[in-house]
Structures are given as structure tokens and as C-alpha cells.
């Protein structure tokens, strides 16, 4: 942190107390604050959220915080890309002003944060009914970590508007439910997934991919598009669509075998209101989503059909 | 609600949205709001909290809400005293002004609230490490319900100051930890337990007691005072103190047998920082607490020795 060059127009806070003073003045000036929570390694997806916030609000704040509570002990907390200087430079390049809070783990989790969930102490937020399926099958404590840290940040930032990307669609459903039911005084905005020119969903984890893996990384989006195409032209029977998408991933897996390991985690067609799997014809729109390992990198993507969150 | 007489000086909101408008004006006027969460059935303990809030803040709000999430299916949710008219009259009698939010269960829990915890849907807050012992032994989901509803109300009321009674000492520890770790932007005040002239701690549940039960209800306070007296004069060895207190309750139980059933739930001497039982000499102060059934009424009480929360 000491060698950080703060580019012009960018304000960086490391202390929650200092950030709050800045925020309070905005309130007393009767101006509004838009908020974009991030784990850093900013890409065009994040910048699109900041752009949206800029349009609607007088001020925009980001948080950059790699949240330990949402990583399982076997996951990539240690290697998750931390690129603070590049993040600040990217913000300065695209925006005239932005405020960034970069808090320490010890300030965010005053009771500490053990990697082992059973040893954790302190308050945690769980969104029951929406956290155990889909991503939650492979990552059972992920949304607990997300809901907890987003709650903390909403209490700290107290924004009028908050921005999330549709790329993490289950996160959107979980946080939307949490904001509504916990009565957070904030309006939630869900912005479209930003994609590379070939269609790959932007993700900080894309930087893990080797050139060959990058080529095959499109397999999940192709599978989702196949389901969409069939849904629009052939059949609305969810299990048939999932089977076709699974077959496409399996075929790609076999083709790639020599140069790149591909492993399907799940393909799902779920109800947007319950996140339960659609087991028959899709009636009131759906969330098509999936997760695939390309090499050791776990990629997720989704399409929402005939429905808005 | 329709036949409610709103006494002079008392403002009652039933809708969260309307309450928020009132609250926002206070903020824009740069005035402060003190908040007293209650389940109604107001007694002098609650009124003392309101008094404290009045001293420190420009405005005072109470919530009156019997929170289903903190009652187990076998507990007294259905019979818990609901005395809204008397509550408003008491406020008007003691204070020139007060604002009361009386929300509906459906607005507080938009996803509904099932009595069976395993069927519950939506966000819940759990304060790990401080919720399973003492009261949590008999009431394993109690503090989850309390932490959840207090979080909701802090988000709705957004007070500068919030007031709790020391009578519910574990609740104070749980909420204090939650406010700190979740970064709620509020200062927590813990006020002394208010007692009847004979020493019985004020409680809305005291109204359950028959005259004979009322006579024996003092057994817990007597046990706590015995421990305090021994701590100050004889020994600081926690298990010895707990044994003496337990013996006193058992003796009273035998005396009462013919006219009143008394059952000890627990007597505890715990560390204020961890709520773990002290198993040797008390060193840095302690929380002496306990729960006793008098008839079917469960009473709790506590004394804090050489320590402040």
C-alpha cells in the first residue's frame, strides 16, 4: 500500500471511519451515492457498473476487498488476483472521479475470520432457500460469505444505489432477497453481463487461463446459447435442453482432452423466483446457468430468458 | 388496531415507508434519533430506556413488535402479552413526545416466517460463538431471531443511539458484537436492570405469575445475590459459587413444592468477553446469570461483577 500512486481524480480510503466522514458530507449536501462492491482485479464488467452508477448518482464509491469469508479452504483465496495499482489506474483512465474504500481484513472482521466455517466467531448472514443449490452445491458457504460482507459494506457505505453484474446471477438473487427482507435502505441495480468479443463473460478469474484454455473457455457460453436457441425454436422442455447442453460440453471435453482438461460442474435451468430446478416445460421464464472447470479455473455464466430479476 | 386511541404527543406508524419519511426529515434537520426496540407490554424497564434516549437525542422512536423468529414452536408466541393501547398510554403519561413503529409480521418478514427453523426462507443473522450457550442451550434459535430482527430494525430506524436493558445480558453481548462486527453505524447503550421494590427484575413475562408464584419468583435474584455476596466476602471460585446458588434454588424448590413448582434451568458464571463458563477463580470480572421456571413462566436475571459491557 505504501508505494501506491494515487492517480488524479481518485480518492482512496483505507479506514472505514475516514470513509464515513466523506460519505456523511454527501448526505448532508443532499447528494446521492452509488456503490459498486468488488474484489478488485477490475475489468470492463466492473467499469460498466461504475458507469451506470455515475449516470444515476452524484458520487460513486467502490470497495475493493478480497473477502475471505466467501472462499472455502480449498479455493483460490491466496492466489486471487490483487492488482490495486492497475485498478486505480483503470478507474482514473475511464472516469473523472471515483472514491475507493480498500479496508483491511482485520477491520472488516473484528472477531477474525477462520477459514474453517465451524470455527468462525461473530455475526454472519445466511439467505436460506437460495444459497444451497447451483453454486451452493459446490460452494456451500459461498453465499453466506457474500451476504455477510455485502451487509457489512451496505452498513458502511450507506449508498442510495448499489450495482451488481448479472454474471453472478445467483448472487444477484441472494442479495436482492437480502436487501428486500433485511430492509436495507438502498435500491439494487442488476447490470447485463459484459463479454469479450467472442462472447466469454468477463471475469477476474479469466486471467488464470492459458491461451489454449482461453480457447476452450467458451464451452459454457456455447452450451447456454444452444439451450437458448432450442428454447426459442425447438422445445421448452428443460431436461431436454440441459441434456443437449451437457452433451455439447462432453463433446468439447473429448475434443480438448489432449491439450486442456474440461470438467462440467453443473448446467441448470431454474425458476428465477425460487432457484429450484425446472423439471418440465419452462413456463414463466428461467435462469439458464452453469459452471465448468477449464484446467483448474472454475468459470460460471448464465442467460436469463423471458424474465427480469 | 382500528379502535386504537392515539394519545396526545404519541405518533404511531404502521408502515415502514411512512416511518422512513419521518426519520429522513430528522436527518436532514441534522437532529438525532434514539431508538428503543421492544416487544411491547411496556414496563418501567422500557420506560427507563426511553428516558435515557430522551436525554441523549432530539427524537426517540420505539418499535413494538412481537418477533416470531425468536420464539420456538413450543414457546409463548401466541400468549405473549400484547397491550398496545396501554403501551401508548404509558408513553404519553411519562413523555411529552414519542414515535412508535408497529409493523406487521408480513412487512417485517416478506418471505414469511415459518415456526420450524428448517423450513425458514430468507435472510437470517447468526452471531456465532455467543448464541449457543446460557440462554441458547434451552433456546437454540433465540438469538438468531433476535439478531435478525434487530438488524432489520436498525436498517429501518437508522438511529444514532440504540438502547437495551442489561436484564437480557446475553442479548446485549450478542447485539454488541453484531453492531461492531457488522459495522452498524449506531452507538449501543446498555442500561441497568430495573427492579420491583423487592428486587424482582422487571419483565413483560412477570404478568404470567400468580400471586403465589410471584412470591417465589425472587428465588433467582436471591441466588445471584448469594453468589455476589460470597464473591465479595468469601471466595472467587466460580464452581463453588454456582454450587451454593444451585443449593439455594433447590432448597426453595422443596419449600415451595406444595404451592408452586420451581425448576432451575441454569446458573452460570461466565466470562463477559467469550460467554464461556468460568471453571476456576473469577479473574477479570464476570457475568452471573441464570434462568428459573416458576410455574410455567421462565424468568431470567443477571448481575455483572467488576465488569462493564
Amino acid at each position: 500500500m505504501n508505494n501506491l500512486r494515487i492517480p488524479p481524480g481518485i480518492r482512496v480510503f483505507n479506514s472505514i471511519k475516514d470513509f464515513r466522514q466523506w460519505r456523511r458530507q454527501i448526505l448532508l449536501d443532499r447528494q446521492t451515492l452509488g456503490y459498486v462492491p468488488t474484489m478488485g482485479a477490475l475489468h470492463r464488467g466492473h467499469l460498466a457498473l461504475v458507469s451506470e452508477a455515475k449516470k444515476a448518482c452524484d458520487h460513486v464509491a467502490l470497495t475493493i476487498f478480497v473477502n475471505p469469508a466467501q472462499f472455502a479452504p480449498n479455493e483460490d483465496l491466496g492466489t486471487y488476483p490483487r492488482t490495486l495499482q492497475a485498478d486505480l489506474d483503470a478507474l482514473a483512465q475511464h472516469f473523472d472521479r471515483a472514491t475507493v474504500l480498500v479496508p483491511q481484513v482485520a477491520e472488516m472482521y473484528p472477531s477474525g475470520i477462520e477459514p474453517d466455517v465451524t470455527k468462525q466467531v461473530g455475526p454472519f448472514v445466511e439467505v436460506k432457500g437460495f444459497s444451497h443449490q447451483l453454486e451452493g452445491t459446490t460452494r456451500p458457504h459461498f453465499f453466506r460469505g457474500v451476504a455477510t460482507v455485502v451487509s457489512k459494506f451496505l452498513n458502511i457505505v450507506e449508498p442510495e444505489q448499489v450495482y451488481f453484474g448479472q454474471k453472478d446471477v445467483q448472487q444477484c438473487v441472494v442479495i436482492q432477497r437480502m436487501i428486500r427482507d433485511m430492509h436495507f435502505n438502498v435500491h439494487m441495480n442488476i447490470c447485463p453481463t459484459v463479454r469479450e468479443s467472442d462472447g466469454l463473460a468477463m471475469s477476474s478469474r479469466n486471467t488464470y487461463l492459458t491461451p489454449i484454455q482461453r480457447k476452450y473457455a467458451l464451452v459454457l457460453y456455447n452450451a447456454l446459447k444452444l439451450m437458448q436457441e432450442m428454447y426459442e425454436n425447438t422445445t421448452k422442455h428443460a431436461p431436454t435442453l440441459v441434456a443437449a447442453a451437457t452433451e455439447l460440453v462432453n463433446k468439447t471435453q473429448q475434443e480438448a482432452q489432449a491439450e486442456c482438461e474440461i470438467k462440467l460442474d453443473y448446467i441448470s435451468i431454474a425458476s428465477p423466483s425460487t432457484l429450484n430446478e425446472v423439471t418440465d416445460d419452462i413456463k414463466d421464464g428461467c435462469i439458464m446457468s452453469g459452471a465448468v472447470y477449464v484446467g483448474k479455473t472454475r468459470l460460471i455464466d448464465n442467460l436469463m430468458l423471458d424474465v427480469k430479476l
Side-chain angles (χ1 to χ4, degrees), chain A:
Chain A
M1 210 70 100
N2 285 333
N3 295 320
L4 207 61
R5 282 172 290 101
I6 311 291
I10 308 301
R11 191 186 276 103
V12 178
F13 290 105
N14 295 119
S15 122
I16 292 169
K17 196 179 152 203
D18 295 345
F19 176 88
R20 278 190 156 140
Q21 269 180 6
W22 172 79
R23 197 280 169 257
R24 182 159 175 83
Q25 194 51 52
I26 292 172
L27 186 87
L28 294 176
D29 293 345
R30 303 198 183 201
Q31 295 191 316
T32 56
L33 179 62
Y35 168 48
V36 181
T38 85
M39 300 212 299
L42 302 185
H43 51 62
R44 284 197 288 114
H46 298 108
L47 300 179
L49 300 179
V50 177
S51 284
E52 284 305 304
K54 284 256 164 203
K55 278 185 219 161
C57 304
D58 300 314
H59 299 267
V60 176
L62 296 84
T63 51
I64 295 184
F65 181 68
V66 182
N67 172 34
Q70 70 191 66
F71 290 82
N74 64 325
E75 291 180 350
D76 58 345
L77 174 62
T79 57
Y80 194 88
R82 287 161 170 91
T83 60
L84 185 55
Q85 184 66 60
D87 293 347
L88 300 181
D89 292 344
L91 287 171
Q93 195 188 326
H94 288 85
F95 306 103
D96 55 341
R97 284 186 310 142
T99 295
V100 187
L101 170 62
V102 189
Q104 300 297 305
V105 172
E107 195 173 13
M108 288 302 292
Y109 290 92
S111 299
I113 179 71
E114 289 280 341
D116 178 350
V117 171
T118 62
K119 292 186 184 151
Q120 288 175 354
V121 167
F124 291 88
V125 182
E126 215 155 346
V127 182
K128 306 290 276 183
F130 301 89
S131 303
H132 63 282
Q133 63 279 72
L134 305 174
E135 287 297 291
T137 310
T138 303
R139 313 182 75 187
H141 306 297
F142 175 69
F143 290 111
R144 176 175 175 273
V146 170
T148 300
V149 83
V150 170
S151 291
K152 291 182 189 224
F153 277 126
L154 288 176
N155 287 340
I156 293 164
V157 179
E158 299 185 87
E160 275 80 16
Q161 306 280 336
V162 64
Y163 296 81
F164 290 88
Q166 190 204 308
K167 154 85 169 5
D168 301 296
V169 68
Q170 188 174 6
Q171 174 174 282
C172 288
V173 171
V174 165
I175 297 298
Q176 189 178 52
R177 180 68 60 138
M178 182 184 84
I179 285 176
R180 186 193 73 173
D181 286 16
M182 294 305 294
H183 300 277
F184 280 106
N185 198 2
V186 64
H187 182 261
M188 178 172 177
N189 303 270
I190 299 173
C191 304
T193 304
V194 178
R195 298 181 181 280
E196 304 282 0
S197 56
D198 65 351
L200 182 67
M202 295 270 177
S203 164
S204 302
R205 289 193 171 93
N206 289 351
T207 57
Y208 295 156
L209 299 169
T210 66
I212 285 172
Q213 288 171 343
R214 173 65 185 78
K215 198 179 72 180
Y216 287 108
L218 222 56
V219 58
L220 177 56
Y221 185 50
N222 288 340
L224 294 171
K225 277 197 306 184
L226 172 64
M227 294 201 293
Q228 175 177 27
E229 192 266 325
M230 289 174 71
Y231 169 84
E232 280 162 2
N233 301 310
T234 322
T235 176
K236 295 206 166 13
H237 188 246
T240 305
L241 300 176
V242 170
T246 305
E247 203 190 311
L248 186 144
V249 175
N250 288 342
K251 228 181 76 191
T252 312
Q253 184 183 8
Q254 277 158 23
E255 285 166 21
Q257 215 160 19
E259 47 184 13
C260 169
E261 200 189 352
I262 291 172
K263 205 182 114 210
L264 180 63
D265 188 355
Y266 68 88
I267 293 277
S268 153
I269 297 181
S271 150
S273 57
T274 63
L275 293 187
N276 290 338
E277 214 58 21
V278 181
T279 55
D280 207 324
D281 282 0
I282 300 159
K283 287 209 178 77
D284 305 310
C286 67
I287 298 172
M288 296 179 164
S289 67
V292 170
Y293 292 91
V294 178
K296 285 183 177 168
T297 304
R298 190 169 178 281
L299 301 174
I300 63 171
D301 201 352
N302 71 87
L303 296 171
M304 288 198 293
L305 297 190
D306 295 334
V307 77
K308 250 192 82 177
L309 286 183

